[in-house]
């Protein structure tokens, strides 16, 4: 997509080396792994999955938020994102019902089983602005949803939000931008930039050298989690969104396979 930076394309945890094969932690304290950056997050896949002949209510019936992955993002020691399905509201609504809850400047997330979440900025008059198919578009919320369930996600990121008027202005000023004009790798980065105005959400917004200041804490169970490190927020968001797309069950299985494999390798090395 346009001026995207080059990305690594590991397809599973088993293909990535780790400094700590036991990268699990209990509540006693963190044990940190290494950065994993996976294949491209592409909102264009939505067109191939949903299609024009599909029942628009089908995803509503199939979507189950019990398979959503809980996670948190830390910049050094500060939590800048927190998704907790036990304490936060992860309820989803039909696009028509969500319209009654939206206010200009709200961030909206569209979700469906086995798909990347799609983010948009509600700008009023039943319309949203969003990054889709390498272009910033202004569409009616019901059209942008493409049959998916949706919810307002203003509170996931913990940065200080801009005023609603500024959020709407940021979004509307980008309408029509496409391809090489784009500064965001996915719809979430674009919508979050409109809301918070932070360069970290833009392509190349941070220098990827030296210590990795970002950590993604993936909650595997009530007492177990796994920590990954990243040099930039946009790289971390790409991995978080991949986890959202495959779901908690698949992420837990990937990590279990990867960590067990690494433990076997270490045991074999020690036996030599």
């Amino acid at each position: 997509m346009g001026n995207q930076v080059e990305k690594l394309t590991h397809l599973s945890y088993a293909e990535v080396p780790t400094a700590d094969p036991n990268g699990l932690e209990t509540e006693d304290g963190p044990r940190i792994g290494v950065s994993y950056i996976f294949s491209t997050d592409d909102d264009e896949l939505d067109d191939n999955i949903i299609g024009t002949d599909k029942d628009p209510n089908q995803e509503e019936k199939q979507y189950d938020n019990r398979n959503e992955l809980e996670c948190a993002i830390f910049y050094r020691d500060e939590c800048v994102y927190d998704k907790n399905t036990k304490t936060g509201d992860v309820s989803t609504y039909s696009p028509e019902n969500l319209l009654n809850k939206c206010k200009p400047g709200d961030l909206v997330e569209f979700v469906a089983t086995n798909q990347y979440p799609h983010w948009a900025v509600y700008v009023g008059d039943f319309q949203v602005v969003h990054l889709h198919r390498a272009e910033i578009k202004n569409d009616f919320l019901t059209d942008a949803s493409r049959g998916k369930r949706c919810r307002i996600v203003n509170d996931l990121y913990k940065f200080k939000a801009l005023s609603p008027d500024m959020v709407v202005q940021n979004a509307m000023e980008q309408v029509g931008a496409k391809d090489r004009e784009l500064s965001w790798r996915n719809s979430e980065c674009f919508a979050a930039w409109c809301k918070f105005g932070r360069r970290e959400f833009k392509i190349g917004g941070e220098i990827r050298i030296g210590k990795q200041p970002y950590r993604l804490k993936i909650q595997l169970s009530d007492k177990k989690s796994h920590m990954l490190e990243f040099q930039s927020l946009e790289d971390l968001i790409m991995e978080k969104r991949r986890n959202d797309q495959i779901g908690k069950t698949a992420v837990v299985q990937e990590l279990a396979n990867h960590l067990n494999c690494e433990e076997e390798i270490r045991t074999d090395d020690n036996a030599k």
Side-chain angles (χ1 to χ4, degrees), residues 68-113:
E68 290 194 41
L69 191 68
E70 295 180 302
C71 66
I73 298 173
F74 295 87
Y75 176 70
R76 304 193 190 282
D77 294 326
E78 178 186 4
C79 180
V80 298
Y81 174 102
D82 187 19
K83 183 177 183 180
N84 189 321
T85 60
K86 297 180 181 63
T87 60
D89 184 7
V90 295
S91 302
T92 61
Y93 305 87
S94 68
E96 293 78 12
N97 288 336
L98 191 75
L99 281 172
N100 298 323
K101 303 175 181 294
C102 284
K103 300 183 298 294
D106 282 345
L107 298 188
V108 176
E109 180 184 44
F110 304 109
V111 291
T113 305

Side-chain angles (χ1 to χ4, degrees), residues 53-66:
D53 57 349
K54 187 172 184 179
D55 178 358
N57 295 317
Q58 186 171 344
E59 284 299 338
E60 288 188 23
K61 297 173 184 176
Q62 291 182 351
Y63 184 71
D64 184 355
N65 60 22
R66 290 177 297 180

Side-chain angles (χ1 to χ4, degrees), residues 103-245:
K103 300 183 298 294
D106 282 345
L107 298 188
V108 176
E109 180 184 44
F110 304 109
V111 291
T113 305
N114 296 325
Q115 295 186 38
Y116 288 107
H118 190 76
W119 286 46
V121 180
Y122 185 73
V123 296
D125 296 327
F126 313 114
Q127 298 177 59
V128 296
V129 172
H130 60 134
L131 171 57
H132 180 57
R133 302 196 63 168
E135 182 178 355
I136 307 297
K137 299 179 179 180
N138 184 191
D139 292 315
F140 286 108
L141 185 148
T142 50
D143 293 334
S145 72
R146 301 184 60 79
K148 299 179 182 179
R149 300 284 290 182
C150 45
R151 58 191 168 202
I152 296 171
V153 288
N154 292 329
D155 298 327
L156 289 181
Y157 285 99
K158 306 304 178 183
F159 300 118
K160 182 179 179 180
L162 302 174
S163 68
D165 288 345
M166 183 58 69
V167 176
V168 172
Q169 179 179 323
N170 283 344
M172 294 301 295
E173 286 180 346
Q174 299 300 322
V175 173
K178 57 184 177 181
D179 300 326
R180 294 184 179 275
E181 301 169 330
L182 296 174
S183 297
W184 305 273
R185 290 167 76 172
N186 53 62
S187 60
E188 180 174 337
C189 284
F190 169 70
W193 174 82
C194 292
K195 183 76 171 181
F196 305 104
R198 301 181 69 97
R199 66 181 182 182
E200 294 94 319
F201 292 107
K202 287 189 169 185
I203 294 173
E206 297 175 282
I207 299 176
R208 296 175 176 82
I209 60 174
K211 181 174 174 59
Q212 298 170 310
Y214 289 97
R215 292 177 294 154
L216 175 62
K217 181 179 180 180
I218 302 172
Q219 200 67 39
L220 304 177
S221 66
D222 289 341
K223 293 186 177 181
K224 289 186 177 182
S225 61
H226 188 68
M227 196 82 78
L228 308 178
E229 290 184 336
F230 297 83
Q231 288 181 316
S232 72
L233 181 59
E234 61 165 339
D235 286 343
L236 185 151
I237 289 173
M238 293 289 286
E239 170 60 1
K240 177 183 73 66
R241 288 171 60 77
R242 188 196 75 95
N243 291 341
D244 289 338
Q245 186 257 332

Side-chain angles (χ1 to χ4, degrees), residues 18 20-23 31 255-270:
T18 178
D20 182 4
N22 299 311
R31 301 178 66 183
L255 281 170
N257 292 341
H258 170 65
L259 297 174
N260 289 339
C261 177
E262 290 294 332
E263 180 64 30
E264 290 175 4
I265 292 174
R266 189 173 68 170
T267 300
D268 290 343
D269 288 343
N270 291 339

